[in-house]
Amino acid sequence: MAQVIRSRPNEEEFALSVPVVIIGAGGCGLSAALAVRDAAVDVLVIERDSRVSGTTAMSTGLIPASGTPEQAARGIEDSPERFRDDIMQKTKGRTDPDIALHLARESVETIQWLRDRHGIPLTLIDEFLYPGHSAMRMYGSPNRTGSELMAALEAACVTAGVDILTNARVEGLIVDANDRVLGVEYVRPDGLRERVGCDALILACCGFGGNWDMVIEYIPELKDAVFHGHTGNKGEAMAWGRAMGAGLADMHAYQGHGGLAAGHAIPILWPFIMEGGFQVNTDGLRFSDESQGYSEQAVKVLSQPGHLAWSMLDQRLHDLMMKFDDFQQAEAAGAVMRGTDIADLAARIGVCQSTLEATFAEVDAVKAGSAMDPFGRDFRGKPPLASPFYAAKVTGALFHTQGGLVVDSNARVLRENGKPFPNLFAGGGAARGISGAGADGYLAGNGLLTATTFGKLAGRAAARG
Ligand SMILES: Cc1cc2nc3c(=O)[nH]c(=O)nc-3n(C[C@H](O)[C@H](O)[C@H](O)COP(=O)(O)OP(=O)(O)OC[C@H]3O[C@@H](n4cnc5c(N)ncnc54)[C@H](O)[C@@H]3O)c2cc1C
């Protein structure tokens, strides 16, 4: 039960005190910890699970950066201002433009800092554009998995001398009358309670996706969705913030996904859509402009019969997708069906053959420029799908929430009146993101952008004291 315990300075006798405490060992928490150690300041990361993972380990691990030397070397035109404009366009102007530009500017240094100072193997991916990005600016680890990213962050933390305490769920913040955090109280799996003091606290315990009561309260449109995020993220950051009078914003913003392999809990990622694939419902009919974004596609899929859709690929798109660990897993799990032609595929997935053939013909006509897409999708430059074909049955999912504590450009948590708390910071899913309202403001990569960059900024500011 998240609570704020009021106390007086010096009244608490902490057996242990550390300059900086971080709650949560995901991408934000470990980035913050590295930044604290860069300043040679001691830090303790407290994690509820028995090992570090979080949503970050479940992710694809792609982090955007704009205006980097690697982009320039490959002739990719980009800049922080252009990235900010993409964010503002995706959110329809419903996020803070100054924070968006600040994060876009910082993103370049975040990648260089993680890679060059801490050995995180990040390279520029320049094979496809993600929805809403006007330039190729995604960085990822060799196998493009969040588990690889987390393993590298954990190894860097070991090298840097970060202390990580696992199996410790923080329940209480110990706070004085001026809202200065004095320490935290955590509970061990055997029920033992312990307290540790701190000079600064960073909330890196993500959002409330693992608390279905809160999801229904703030995002009722997801009542039929599958939660495919980290179940340990229960919204404690928001509960503590609310109890202390912190500002909360965009609580109904989230990253959804319209392509979770049904019954397999494996995401079928969006590159195949961006390169010309599409979705049909169980009647074999298209129902949307899939290229608008995978996040908003969740609700569109959930509104189809059985809350299901089929994602359609051909061999070219299948080859592209096999570069992703998730898709390889989906293949191995039998989640991807193959048909030698449309009739064969229709029989295998139980969809009316003539309807499916008509849908393919309609998409081919749009791609050839001889028809308009009824959903307004621009298929220009994308070749028609060619046999053999592939299909994966998918449903709509919630990946993580994007609303949270309002922070400033140094990741300081702000009160409802806009003034910062003395020593409280937040980043990643615990803080308000740059995703506007609802699902359609989420721009791919902005989950880890806010996790790593706000984490870095919070760590640096907390270490300064
Ligand atoms: C399938 C999937 C794919 C994704 N792909 C991408 C991508 O490619 N790019 C991108 O930018 N974003 C992606 N995201 C989103 C991204 O993963 C998240 O935005 C990001 O990982 C959030 O990082 P975080 O550190 O805030 O939270 P987390 O990584 O979830 O870490 C929070 C940690 O806090 C711990 N914790 C929670 N409460 C407590 C407590 N009370 N006490 C102690 N510990 C606690 C949790 O156990 C957890 O380890 C994806 C998400 C999913 C689900």
Side-chain angles (χ1 to χ4, degrees), residues 20-46 110 113-114 118 150 153 156-157 160 162-164 200-205 410-411 425-428 448-464:
V20 181
V21 164
I22 298 171
I23 304 177
C28 178
L30 297 194
S31 299
L34 290 172
V36 176
R37 288 300 300 147
D38 285 350
V41 171
D42 285 342
V43 59
L44 175 67
V45 184
I46 306 180
T110 299
W113 168 71
L114 286 173
H118 292 293
M150 279 303 290
L153 283 169
C157 283
V162 173
D163 289 318
I164 302 177
L201 177 67
I202 300 174
L203 301 176
C205 43
N410 278 317
F425 301 83
L448 285 172
L449 172 68
T450 53
T452 53
T453 294
F454 270 142
K456 175 190 78 173
L457 295 167
R460 287 178 184 170
R464 284 196 296 270

Side-chain angles (χ1 to χ4, degrees), residues 23-29 46-49 53-56 58-62 168-170 204-206 228-230 232-233 236 240 255 267 399-400 427-429 442 445-449 451:
I23 304 177
C28 178
I46 306 180
E47 167 57 48
R48 60 177 290 154
D49 290 350
S53 60
T55 323
T56 308
M58 300 176 71
S59 79
T60 319
L62 302 185
R169 178 165 48 85
V170 178
C205 43
C206 206
H228 185 69
H230 186 63
N233 295 333
E236 279 115 336
W240 291 317
Q255 181 193 10
F399 277 9
H400 76 294
Y442 184 78
N446 281 356
L448 285 172
L449 172 68

